[in-house]
């Protein structure tokens, strides 16, 4: 079994409130494991469309759906997603973790709208609900291939929770040559690696600590969406390997951000510095911020101050020892050894690429002929 348990994270929607067709859908991301399991975090309207367009996420692999809060741009896509799972013949249960009210919301839609309950071709499958409430961190236990999940109450306009996913702590690496030179043989090596001292026939004791490196703490991914105060996550997110934090506005709009229960890019950067995050990925951008294009579709010059690139700079100024990236729809962040790195290409199936992208590919082929 691979020592690393996280495989990759795929951003399926990076917009706040209002989707930008063809550019940003509303909030959703998928955490994929080395065992092929997928943990979906948020499921805004249109998420299943994004999954169908995506080459790095398979719907049938989703085992858990974690909803941060019950605002529509974070959960209204779950009705269609669950219905499509039924139509495709799903049999395995889906675990839905969300603030209190999610079960009533889903059951109400299906009771009045039919959905999987009235589709003759659909096959019912179990839904397991874990509803969250309160103002304390919640240990959600172990899921999948040994991942511990913590829920953190966040400050927003409605009950909201962030989530931290952590790989299990791995045993330290055994120095087999050193152990053998001290007289350890066969099954003794396994005992030493598991932290147990062993005694040789001549009475000599080999201490595990002398031949085994310290345990490796499992990596962490923290997802903190829609919040103007993330302090409840500090302890569990400390030394986070991959922090995904909302950055709805630039700090020039900090008053509006706090009123609406959101963070600015600066606030996200400050939090990343506080928890000593290795990587910070910004998401949940207001529609007012463009992706960095110098001109719009009509040839008008864009304001560089209203760019996601500006938000990245604002956050990076607060956490100089953290790598800061602005997330994009279909961006894949892949596990690379002990770190995470962005794939060079977006995980969008060829058939769904924009006509502009296809035209550019044709032009490239012509230039190479």
């Amino acid at each position: 079994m691979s020592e690393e348990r996280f495989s990759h994270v795929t951003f399926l929607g990076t917009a706040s409130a209002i989707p930008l067709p063809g550019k940003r859908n509303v909030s959703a991301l998928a955490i994929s494991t080395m065992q092929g399991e997928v943990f979906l975090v948020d499921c805004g309207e249109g998420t299943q469309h994004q999954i169908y367009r995506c080459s790095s996420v398979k719907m049938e692999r989703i085992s858990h759906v974690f909803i941060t809060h019950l605002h529509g741009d974070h959960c209204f896509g779950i009705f269609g997603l669950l219905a499509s799972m039924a139509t495709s013949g799903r049999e395995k249960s889906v675990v839905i973790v969300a603030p209190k009210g999610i079960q009533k919301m889903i059951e109400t839609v299906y009771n009045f709208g039919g959905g999987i309950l009235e589709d003759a071709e659909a096959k019912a499958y179990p839904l397991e609900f874990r509803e969250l409430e309160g103002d304390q961190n919640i240990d959600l236990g172990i899921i999948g291939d040994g991942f511990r999940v913590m829920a953190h109450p966040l400050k927003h306009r409605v009950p909201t929770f962030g989530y931290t996913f952590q790989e299990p702590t791995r045993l330290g690496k055994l120095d087999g040559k050193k152990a053998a030179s001290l007289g350890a043989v066969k099954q003794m090596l396994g005992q030493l690696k598991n932290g147990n001292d062993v005694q040789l026939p001549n009475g000599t004791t080999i201490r595990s600590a002398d031949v085994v490196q310290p345990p490796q703490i499992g990596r962490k991914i923290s997802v903190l969406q829609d919040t103007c105060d993330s302090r409840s996550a500090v302890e569990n997110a400390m030394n986070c390997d991959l922090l995904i934090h909302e950055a709805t506005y630039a700090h020039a709009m900090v008053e509006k951000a706090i009123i609406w229960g959101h963070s600015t890019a600066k606030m996200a950067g400050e939090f990343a510095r506080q928890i000593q995050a290795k990587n910070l990925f910004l998401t949940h951008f207001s529609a007012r911020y463009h992706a960095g294009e110098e001109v719009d579709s009509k040839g008008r010059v864009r304001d560089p101050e209203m760019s996601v690139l500006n938000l990245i700079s604002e956050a990076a100024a607060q956490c100089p020892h953290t790598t800061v990236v602005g997330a994009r729809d279909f961006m894949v962040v892949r596990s690379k050894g002990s770190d995470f790195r962005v794939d060079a290409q977006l995980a969008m199936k060829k058939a769904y690429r924009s006509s502009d992208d296809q035209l550019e590919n044709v032009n490239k082929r012509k230039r190479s002929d």
Side-chain angles (χ1 to χ4, degrees):
M1 184 179 294
S2 172
E3 289 189 348
E4 286 76 33
R5 306 294 177 91
F6 291 123
S7 174
H8 57 277
V9 176
T10 305
F11 288 91
L12 297 167
T14 56
S16 69
I18 302 174
L20 297 177
K23 295 184 177 179
R24 295 185 202 133
N25 199 53
V26 286
S27 293
L29 64 88
I31 300 174
S32 299
T33 76
M34 290 292 188
Q35 295 298 308
E37 195 170 12
V38 175
F39 309 141
L40 189 67
V41 182
D42 280 337
C43 189
E45 183 181 359
T47 294
Q48 67 166 321
H49 292 264
Q50 298 290 86
I51 293 174
Y52 282 126
R53 297 173 68 195
C54 183
S55 60
S56 63
V57 179
K58 295 183 182 299
M59 186 181 297
E60 62 270 20
R61 294 286 190 171
I62 297 173
S63 62
H64 293 69
V65 180
F66 295 86
I67 302 295
T68 58
H69 62 295
L70 301 188
H71 279 160
D73 59 324
H74 291 257
C75 71
F76 279 2
I78 197 167
F79 312 116
L81 179 73
L82 296 178
S84 291
M85 287 180 172
T87 302
S88 65
R90 186 184 181 99
E91 297 181 355
K92 293 182 179 180
S93 65
V94 175
V95 180
I96 301 172
V97 182
K100 186 175 182 179
I102 189 66
Q103 182 170 355
K104 184 176 182 180
M105 179 185 287
I106 291 174
E107 290 178 347
T108 297
V109 169
Y110 285 150
N111 285 337
F112 285 95
I116 61 176
L117 301 181
E118 293 184 359
D119 189 338
E121 297 182 358
K123 188 172 184 178
Y125 60 92
L127 295 180
E128 301 177 21
F129 293 94
R130 176 77 184 270
E131 295 196 319
L132 310 177
E133 57 183 328
D135 59 0
Q136 301 295 317
N137 288 328
I138 302 172
D139 185 346
L140 298 175
I142 304 297
I143 67 171
D145 189 26
F147 297 92
R148 179 167 293 281
V149 185
M150 296 292 298
H152 318 292
L154 303 176
K155 187 175 181 181
H156 191 45
R157 305 194 312 279
V158 297
T160 302
F161 288 85
Y163 300 99
T164 293
F165 303 81
Q166 185 170 16
E167 295 171 329
T169 296
R170 303 192 293 272
L171 295 174
K173 186 176 180 180
L174 171 70
D175 186 338
K177 290 184 178 180
K178 182 177 180 180
S181 70
L182 295 174
V185 295
K186 297 181 179 180
Q187 68 268 27
M188 291 182 181
L189 298 176
Q191 294 174 0
L192 289 167
K193 184 172 178 60
N194 288 328
N196 300 313
D197 298 341
V198 299
Q199 190 173 49
L200 302 178
N202 64 8
T204 301
T205 297
I206 303 176
R207 297 175 62 249
S208 174
D210 293 336
V211 295
V212 178
Q213 296 177 359
Q216 294 178 287
I217 303 300
R219 295 175 301 171
K220 298 178 185 178
I221 297 176
S222 291
V223 184
L224 306 178
Q225 285 273 36
D226 284 30
T227 177
C228 61
D229 186 349
S230 300
R231 73 181 70 181
S232 68
V234 168
E235 181 179 354
N236 291 114
M238 186 62 65
N239 299 313
C240 186
D241 299 88
L242 180 56
L243 170 63
I244 300 167
H245 200 291
E246 73 126 301
T248 308
Y249 302 110
H251 205 67
M253 302 183 69
V254 62
E255 292 184 4
K256 179 175 182 177
I258 293 176
I259 289 173
W260 288 95
H262 288 297
S263 294
T264 66
K266 180 180 179 181
M267 291 163 66
E270 290 172 340
F271 184 78
R273 183 184 68 239
Q274 183 180 5
I275 67 168
Q276 301 175 48
K278 292 182 180 179
N279 299 281
L280 167 62
F281 279 71
L282 304 177
T283 187
H284 200 265
F285 305 117
S286 165
R288 58 175 46 83
Y289 299 105
H290 58 87
E293 306 95 338
E294 294 184 359
V295 297
D296 63 16
S297 59
K298 296 182 179 180
R300 295 173 298 194
V301 177
R302 294 183 182 273
D303 181 354
E305 294 298 314
M306 303 304 290
S307 165
V308 170
L309 299 178
N310 188 53
L311 299 181
I312 295 171
S313 297
E314 183 177 285
Q318 305 304 314
C319 50
H321 302 296
T322 299
T323 300
V324 181
V325 177
R328 296 177 58 190
D329 286 23
F330 303 107
M331 175 183 282
V332 176
V333 186
R334 200 168 295 279
S335 173
K336 296 291 185 182
S338 62
D339 205 357
F340 292 89
R341 289 290 181 267
V342 177
D343 272 4
Q345 292 186 327
L346 299 180
M348 188 183 299
K349 293 178 181 176
K350 186 175 181 179
Y352 294 101
R353 293 175 187 167
S354 70
S355 58
D356 289 343
D357 289 342
Q358 293 180 26
L359 179 60
E360 176 61 21
N361 289 335
V362 170
N363 290 336
K364 285 180 179 178
R365 287 197 296 271
K366 287 182 177 179
R367 289 195 294 268
S368 64
D369 291 342

